[in-house]
């Protein structure tokens, strides 16, 4: 079955440490996204990528970095510059640009907490 | 920028019909989507309105009025499993970027 796999499910970060969240998709989607969700809140866009080797900042990119070296993979690094990283992180993908009604498919998320 | 407002919580009983409203402010968008998210889970796509009017998918229907900057999700024959958070989201004209509302928590009671 095609889908999006996020790992790990739970992650703990020490102060001053960078951590990387994995996101892999086998849906052959061009576009991928990272969202942050705080308790009782909506989803806020961190970064998105239309194609391989290209990505753009979303609304809350500060303290985060991404790469898109392969179509299937879009890892997110939460750097030490992100002072409040505790949240639920969701990765999503969708069909290529030009298909305006393509839904986004989400992974099961990673819960990040500070030790 | 874009912003979307939803009621924070709606309650209903099994078998009833409930409407979740979404009002938005935007300078332009392709369409309005709706997603469902159970506690601790991944959002799943429910419906999309690219044009004004009603879209029906089984027990769920969604409506969009661009002139009123308003949309809603209608859930019929409510079931306990419909208890979840529901998000409306605008599809940005520049790319397939979505801007999400703050979500409505639906509680269905027996």
């Amino acid at each position: 079955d095609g889908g999006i796999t996020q790992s790990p499910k739970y992650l703990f970060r020490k102060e001053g440490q960078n951590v990387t969240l994995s996101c892999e998709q086998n849906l052959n989607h061009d576009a991928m996204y990272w969202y942050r969700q705080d308790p009782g809140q909506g989803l806020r866009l961190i970064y998105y990528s239309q194609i391989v080797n290209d990505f753009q900042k979303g609304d809350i990119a500060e303290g985060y970095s991404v790469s898109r070296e392969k179509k299937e993979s879009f890892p997110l690094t939460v750097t030490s510059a992100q002072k409040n990283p505790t949240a639920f992180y969701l990765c999503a993908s969708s069909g290529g640009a030009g298909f305006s009604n393509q839904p986004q498919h989400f992974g099961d998320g990673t819960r990040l907490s500070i030790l | 920028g874009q912003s979307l407002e939803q009621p924070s919580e709606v309650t209903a009983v099994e078998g009833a019909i409930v409407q979740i409203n979404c009002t938005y402010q935007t300078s332009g968008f392709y369409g309005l989507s709706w997603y469902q998210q159970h506690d601790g889970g991944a959002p799943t796509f429910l419906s999309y309105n690219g044009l004004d009017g009603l879209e029906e998918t089984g027990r769920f229907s969604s409506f969009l009025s661009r002139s009123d900057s308003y949309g809603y999700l209608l859930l019929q024959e409510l079931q306990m499993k419909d208890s979840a958070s529901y998000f409306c989201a605008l599809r940005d004209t520049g790319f397939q970027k979505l801007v999400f509302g703050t979500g409505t928590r639906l509680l269905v009671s027996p």
Side-chain angles (χ1 to χ4, degrees):
Chain A
D1 275 344
I4 299 180
T5 301
Q6 288 188 242
S7 61
K9 192 173 179 68
Y10 299 95
L11 187 58
F12 298 91
R13 194 193 88 171
K14 296 179 183 177
E15 275 201 46
Q17 185 182 43
N18 293 351
V19 292
T20 297
L21 285 60
S22 171
C23 178
E24 303 278 332
Q25 56 102 354
N26 60 4
L27 299 166
N28 199 32
H29 284 165
D30 288 314
M32 297 187 75
Y33 316 79
W34 274 106
Y35 294 92
R36 170 180 171 140
Q37 187 175 32
D38 293 283
Q41 301 295 314
L43 282 69
R44 291 185 291 166
L45 184 65
I46 305 172
Y47 269 98
Y48 61 101
S49 169
Q50 300 183 58
I51 55 173
V52 175
N53 294 321
D54 182 67
F55 50 83
Q56 284 80 42
K57 293 181 179 180
D59 301 316
I60 55 166
E62 187 174 348
Y64 301 97
S65 66
V66 293
S67 63
R68 186 85 188 275
E69 297 176 2
K70 298 186 299 182
K71 186 175 185 177
E72 315 81 65
S73 179
F74 191 40
L76 173 74
T77 296
V78 184
T79 74
S80 57
Q82 174 49 248
K83 297 306 180 188
N84 183 23
T86 297
F88 188 42
Y89 291 86
L90 287 157
C91 178
S93 71
S94 66
F99 298 97
S100 59
N101 62 344
Q102 288 290 315
Q104 291 190 7
H105 299 259
F106 286 82
D108 289 333
T110 293
R111 289 200 181 278
L112 176 61
S113 302
I114 286 193
L115 280 177
Chain B
Q2 297 169 314
S3 65
L4 302 94
E5 288 191 16
Q6 302 178 235
S8 59
E9 189 171 289
V10 172
T11 58
V13 297
E14 266 188 305
I17 299 173
V18 73
Q19 179 173 311
I20 298 174
N21 298 322
C22 174
T23 57
Y24 59 83
Q25 291 185 324
T26 181
S27 56
F29 69 107
Y30 277 131
L32 187 69
S33 300
W34 288 90
Y35 286 78
Q36 178 192 60
Q37 185 182 31
H38 287 97
D39 282 348
T44 55
F45 173 76
L46 290 177
S47 186
Y48 175 78
N49 292 78
L51 301 173
D52 281 10
L54 194 67
E55 291 285 339
E56 296 181 78
T57 310
R59 295 189 297 115
F60 296 170
S61 302
S62 58
F63 173 83
L64 175 64
S65 169
R66 289 175 186 261
S67 60
D68 295 321
S69 297
Y70 165 73
Y72 67 72
L73 178 69
L74 191 74
L75 297 85
Q76 303 182 72
E77 301 173 15
L78 280 174
Q79 302 174 10
M80 296 294 289
K81 67 179 182 179
D82 296 329
S83 290
S85 292
Y86 293 83
F87 295 91
C88 57
L90 288 177
R91 184 172 296 283
D92 188 86
T93 52
F95 176 57
Q96 290 193 61
K97 194 171 63 163
L98 288 176
V99 178
F100 283 85
T102 51
T104 299
R105 189 173 179 85
L106 171 64
L107 300 173
V108 180
S109 57

